[in-house]
């Protein structure tokens, strides 16, 4: 038999073997090794940690690349994985922040003092390129796939140099990704007169009117041009894209985005639903500033759907005058609330005493999933970060939208205008585009918006609450066995397996060819 025929025969044998493997499900991924490289920001680390557990449940080994501070923050993930018999570990790389003037221990975007140090922080992340390559070269064998956060595209350069397959993981919604892509493709932003001039997103599945300020893509600030070029290149050349969303929520925009980029796209969310029991919800992300049991006891004493939860995420900061107006508005509603406060300035000393019978103020990290999953919570005043949006949607909680920057204004549009599960608070421009002491949403607007979200018993309010519950059921169905996201996860792992086995076969065939020669 000739070498060519031998290879053809063995290739057929390999494909037959692969079909048998496909039927075996969990076993098929047992030899795969995924390496996940998140952006060093809490809002990006959370879904990447969930993704690690999700892939490991398919039998693969998963390594998450972190720095020491971020590894310490997320140590509970390793404990959960070990308890479940999952092969998840961390690769810790020293963060070179001090080399660019950052203080020791400043290893996450949410720990930065202000926006002026964003660029040095990104420069430090790009300096992790060589340590990551050294780590990957030190492994007994190269990993089968790198999953790279879209805002850590430097890792794609490492994968390219080593000849390792890579996917790009997107934390924002497909609605946002497609809108920004279409605006850039058609050059609309360059044709408008200023940041506040409205225009329609071209070639979009729904009518979406935005401004230049509210439709900015990522890495748009001066000084981040290199990072933006790397991000676009990583996405354009990746084997595929992984999105934390689900078909019933974002499907029309996922399909159009996949077609626009010509890439395979897998939707694997909402990843937050992997945190199903009370202990994992309470431990998710960081150590809570207030005991979760105390918060649950407080909520247990309130009627169903009566409490407004207020949080602006890990990075957004309100000015002192805006904090004061929000506090006055919440007080005027007379409704029970939980408010996660990062900014002490703006709150008068007696505020907490005046609302002590119905208000719970948490200073620091809050167990958000614990709160949103409680039946006493009936609304969520949010900055519209995608994690928070998914967590609310997954638990059937309507949203009061108050976007701050980045993808959040487009997420607001999806929440309110497309999904019909939200009410606008009234923010018109990104927080970095307004004067430092300017108030965008006054106390009266806060009071009106809370009343509309929480107390509207008319057809609009009933429809909003029903739609929120419907989406929650669809989110759970997507993640359940045989659901759209479950199917996509299996397909993604299978895709890596097929490529890995094909490469292994071809390497073996090349070796036999050289021997025959």
């Amino acid at each position: 038999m000739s070498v060519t025929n031998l290879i053809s025969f063995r290739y057929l044998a390999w494909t037959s073997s692969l079909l048998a493997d496909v039927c075996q499900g969990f076993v098929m991924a047992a030899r795969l090794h995924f390496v996940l490289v998140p952006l060093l920001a809490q809002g990006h680390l959370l879904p990447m940690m969930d993704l690690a557990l999700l892939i490991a449940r398919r039998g693969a080994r998963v390594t998450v690349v972190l720095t020491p501070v971020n590894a310490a923050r997320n140590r509970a993930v390793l404990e959960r994985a070990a308890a479940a018999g999952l092969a998840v570990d961390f690769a810790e790389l020293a963060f070179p922040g001090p080399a660019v003037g950052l203080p020791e221990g400043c290893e996450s975007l949410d720990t930065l003092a202000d926006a002026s140090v964003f660029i040095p922080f990104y420069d430090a992340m790009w300096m992790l390129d060589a340590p990551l390559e050294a780590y990957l070269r030190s492994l007994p064998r190269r990993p089968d796939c790198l999953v790279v956060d879209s805002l850590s595209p430097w890792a794609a350069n490492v994968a390219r140099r080593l000849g390792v397959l890579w996917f790009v993981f997107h934390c924002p919604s497909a609605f946002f990704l497609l809108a920004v892509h279409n605006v850039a493709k058609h050059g609309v932003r360059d044709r408008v007169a200023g940041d506040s001039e409205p225009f329609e997103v071209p070639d979009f599945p729904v009518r979406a009117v935005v401004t230049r300020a509210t439709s900015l893509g990522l890495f748009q600030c001066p000084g981040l041009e290199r990072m933006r070029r790397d991000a676009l290149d990583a996405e354009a050349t990746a084997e595929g894209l992984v999105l934390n969303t689900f078909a019933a929520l974002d499907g029309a925009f996922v399909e159009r985005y996949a077609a626009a980029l010509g890439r395979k796209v897998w939707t694997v969310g909402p990843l937050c639903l992997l945190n199903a029991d009370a202990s994992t919800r309470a431990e998710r992300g960081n150590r809570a500033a207030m005991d979760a049991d105390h918060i649950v006891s407080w909520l247990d004493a309130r009627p169903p759907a009566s409490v407004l939860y207020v949080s602006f995420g890990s990075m957004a900061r309100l000015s002192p005058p805006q904090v004061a107006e929000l506090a006055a508005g919440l007080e005027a509603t007379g409704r029970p609330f939980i408010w996660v406060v990062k900014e002490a300035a703006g709150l008068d000393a007696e505020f907490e005493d005046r609302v002590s019978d119905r208000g719970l103020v948490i200073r620091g990290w809050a167990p958000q999933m614990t709160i949103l999953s409680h039946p006493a919570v009936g609304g969520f005043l949010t900055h519209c970060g995608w994690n928070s949006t998914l967590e609310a949607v997954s638990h059937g909680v309507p949203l009061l939208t108050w976007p701050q920057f980045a993808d959040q204004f487009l997420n607001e549009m999806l929440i309110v205008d497309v999904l019909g599960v939200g009410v606008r608070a009234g923010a018109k421009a990104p927080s970095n585009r307004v004067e430092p002491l300017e108030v965008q949403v006054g106390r009266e607007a806060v009071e009106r918006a809370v009343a509309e979200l929480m107390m509207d018993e008319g057809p609009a309010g009933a429809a909003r609450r029903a739609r929120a519950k419907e989406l929650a059921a669809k989110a759970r169905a997507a993640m359940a066995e045989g659901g759209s996201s479950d199917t996509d996860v299996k397909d993604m792992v299978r895709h890596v397996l097929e490529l890995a086995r094909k490469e292994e076969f071809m390497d073996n065939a090349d070796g036999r060819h050289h021997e025959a020669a």
Side-chain angles (χ1 to χ4, degrees):
M1 182 181 292
S2 69
V3 171
T4 301
N5 288 338
L6 177 64
I7 291 175
S8 298
F9 175 78
R10 288 183 175 173
Y11 185 80
L12 288 172
W14 167 73
T15 55
S16 299
S17 173
L18 180 61
L19 287 173
D21 276 348
V22 167
C23 298
Q24 293 177 19
F26 182 87
V27 175
M28 68 186 236
R31 292 181 58 234
L32 295 181
H33 182 199
F34 286 76
V35 174
L36 277 50
V37 186
L39 174 72
L40 300 178
Q42 200 68 351
H44 290 243
L45 285 166
L46 287 175
M48 194 67 99
M49 292 298 168
D50 292 336
L51 181 63
L53 295 172
L54 187 64
I55 294 173
R57 287 181 180 182
R58 298 297 161 198
R61 175 190 167 200
V62 184
T63 300
V64 186
V65 177
L66 296 173
T67 60
V69 168
N70 290 297
R73 274 183 169 187
N74 292 278
R75 195 68 63 188
V77 174
L78 291 186
E79 296 168 0
R80 285 175 56 197
L86 302 178
V88 178
D89 63 355
F90 293 165
E92 293 188 30
L93 306 180
F95 189 66
V100 295
L102 296 174
E104 194 74 41
C106 181
E107 300 179 10
S108 179
L109 279 171
D110 56 283
T111 64
L112 300 185
D114 56 66
S116 67
V117 290
F118 273 21
I119 291 177
F121 187 88
Y122 279 116
D123 286 338
M125 281 200 301
W126 257 247
M127 291 166 66
L128 292 170
D129 175 291
L132 176 62
E133 182 171 346
Y135 162 72
L136 295 177
R137 288 187 183 278
S138 73
L139 295 173
R141 68 179 185 89
R142 300 289 161 77
D144 298 287
C145 182
L146 258 67
V147 182
V148 176
D149 190 292
S150 61
L151 299 189
S152 290
W154 55 270
N157 296 332
V158 177
R160 188 183 291 111
R161 287 197 300 271
L162 297 181
V164 175
L165 173 79
W166 80 90
F167 299 148
V168 166
F169 178 62
H170 277 297
C171 285
S173 65
F175 184 95
F176 165 79
L177 295 170
L178 180 63
V180 169
H181 173 83
N182 287 3
V183 167
K185 176 183 176 182
H186 292 273
V188 185
R189 193 180 290 114
D190 298 330
R191 298 198 297 268
V192 297
D195 282 356
S196 58
E197 180 180 335
F199 61 88
E200 191 170 337
V201 177
D203 193 25
F204 205 57
V206 298
R207 185 172 186 270
V209 177
V210 298
T211 67
R212 188 159 64 189
T214 60
S215 64
L216 285 175
L218 304 166
F219 292 129
Q220 292 284 356
C221 301
L224 297 179
E225 293 81 5
R226 174 171 65 92
M227 288 73 168
R228 176 167 170 74
R229 286 194 301 271
D230 284 351
L232 292 173
D233 182 60
E235 183 181 57
T237 55
E239 177 70 21
L241 311 177
V242 182
L243 273 63
N244 183 20
T245 188
F246 60 103
L249 183 77
D250 219 11
F253 309 102
V254 171
E255 291 174 7
R256 292 284 287 272
Y257 193 61
L261 269 66
R263 307 244 73 77
K264 176 71 174 173
V265 175
W266 295 280
T267 58
V268 299
L271 289 166
C272 61
L273 284 180
L274 292 176
N275 303 273
D277 61 82
S279 62
T280 56
R281 286 196 296 260
E283 294 171 352
R284 190 166 186 254
N286 208 344
R287 186 179 297 278
M290 184 179 289
D291 182 67
D293 289 340
H294 173 72
I295 297 170
V296 169
S297 295
W298 188 92
L299 287 167
D300 286 343
R302 270 71 195 173
S306 65
V307 176
L308 177 70
Y309 173 56
V310 183
S311 174
F312 289 87
S314 58
M315 291 182 61
R317 300 288 189 274
L318 301 182
S319 68
Q322 184 62 83
V323 170
E325 289 296 299
L326 173 55
L330 291 175
E331 186 173 357
T333 66
R335 298 195 64 82
F337 64 86
I338 296 177
W339 184 6
V340 183
V341 176
K342 293 188 294 290
E343 313 86 351
L347 275 183
D348 66 76
E350 291 78 33
F351 172 76
E352 290 183 58
D353 289 337
R354 292 197 304 271
V355 299
S356 60
D357 61 327
R358 58 184 176 83
L360 187 64
V361 176
I362 302 174
R363 299 177 184 273
W365 187 262
Q368 183 159 291
M369 289 279 288
T370 298
I371 295 167
L372 289 173
S373 63
H374 197 285
V377 175
F380 180 12
L381 197 169
T382 174
H383 64 307
C384 302
W386 191 236
N387 286 336
S388 290
T389 300
L390 285 175
E391 289 167 11
V393 164
S394 297
H395 292 96
V397 178
L399 300 108
L400 180 52
T401 60
W402 191 331
Q404 298 290 306
F405 49 71
D407 58 332
Q408 296 162 14
F409 282 86
L410 283 162
N411 289 343
E412 176 185 57
M413 192 172 294
L414 174 65
I415 292 163
V416 178
D417 301 330
V418 179
L419 300 177
V421 294
V423 170
R424 286 179 170 85
K428 301 296 185 186
S431 55
N432 59 350
R433 301 296 178 104
V434 300
E435 293 299 318
L437 298 182
E438 184 177 338
V439 170
Q440 284 212 73
V441 184
R443 62 187 67 191
E444 295 85 2
V446 171
E447 186 178 2
R448 283 195 303 269
V450 171
E452 182 178 354
L453 183 76
M454 303 290 291
M455 295 184 282
D456 182 0
E457 298 299 333
R464 188 163 48 244
R465 289 187 288 273
R467 181 63 177 149
K469 298 300 182 188
E470 177 188 344
L471 281 175
K474 289 181 176 180
R476 291 190 296 272
M479 294 296 284
E481 183 71 27
S484 60
S485 295
D486 176 68
T487 300
D488 268 15
V489 171
K490 292 174 182 174
D491 185 65
M492 178 188 73
V493 174
R494 184 183 299 115
H495 185 78
V496 176
L497 177 73
E498 290 172 358
L499 292 178
R501 291 196 58 179
K502 185 175 181 180
E503 182 178 352
E504 181 181 7
F505 172 81
M506 293 306 180
D507 287 345
N508 291 339
D510 285 344
R512 288 190 293 270
H513 175 70
H514 290 310
E515 289 174 6

